[in-house]
Amino acid sequence: MNSIDSGRHSTTALRILGRSSSLFTRVPLIFAEELGIRYELEPIYDMTATDPNAYGGSPALKLPSLRRGESLLFGSQNICRALAELSCTALRIAWPEDLRDDLSRNAHELVWHAMGAQVQLVFGTIVGKLPADNVYFAKARAGFDNSLRWLDRHAAQILGVLPARDFSLFEVALFCLIEHMSFRDTLPVEPYPSLVRFSEGFAVRPSARHTVYRFDASPAG
Ligand SMILES: N[C@@H](CCC(=O)N[C@@H](CS)C(=O)NCC(=O)O)C(=O)O
């Protein structure tokens, strides 16, 4: 079980259903770590299964979800919000609805788009072994690359206009995305030096060091 400074909070352990290798799972894991919330990661081993039970009951066959007793909450952003509501800390989190200008709103849209493209490429070409030159993936890769180039070009400005905060959903998502690209070998990160610099800065946080990407060992071996 991942347990962080349990003295700082009184929350009983929560179960995050996901994968230690998953981009969308790492976002709420980092939130939990930043907020000092105890959780257990319940690994989902088979992403090719078509039975919702293999995903802890997600009808969309997606991860992550959050289980609290009888309740099941789907999706990365929903889980981050639930964790923030449970937290006793006074940490300031910048959410998408706090963004006040086109630049930061576009940045949030593009990082979330890029995360979807990363999943599309990993699932289609690595897990599904489909041809990477198919227009479906070629277009995804081009939109992904364009989005990252835009984010890279505007990185300093974007980080400068985010509201006063301890952390933001945007920054956590961007960090998880950039590290995942090296972990899953989709696009090289070298063309995006500002994003890499940002990611290297974020990587020193304990929340990042406690959630390093790795493949969960299946009990079946
Ligand atoms: N809308 C979901 C998307 C989550 C997502 O795409 N998760 C990936 C893992 S990082 C997944 O479920 N991949 C399996 C698949 O696409 O079939 C969220 O925000 O949590």
Side-chain angles (χ1 to χ4, degrees), residues 18-19 21-26 28 44 46-49 55 58 60-65 74-79 112 115-116 118-120 122-124 127 180 213:
R19 292 162 70 91
S21 55
S22 146
L23 159 63
F24 279 92
T25 302
R26 194 176 186 187
I44 288 169
D46 184 4
M47 281 207 305
T48 63
Y55 303 83
S58 165
L61 312 178
K62 285 284 200 174
L63 50 120
S65 299
F74 310 128
S76 196
Q77 208 176 128
N78 271 343
I79 300 172
W112 222 257
M115 290 164 75
Q118 170 78 353
V119 170
Q120 187 179 344
V122 170
F123 196 73
V127 179
H180 202 263
Y213 287 122

Side-chain angles (χ1 to χ4, degrees), residues 1-3 13 38-41:
M1 180 171 69
N2 297 285
S3 164
R38 297 175 65 187
Y39 63 93
E40 284 178 38
L41 178 71

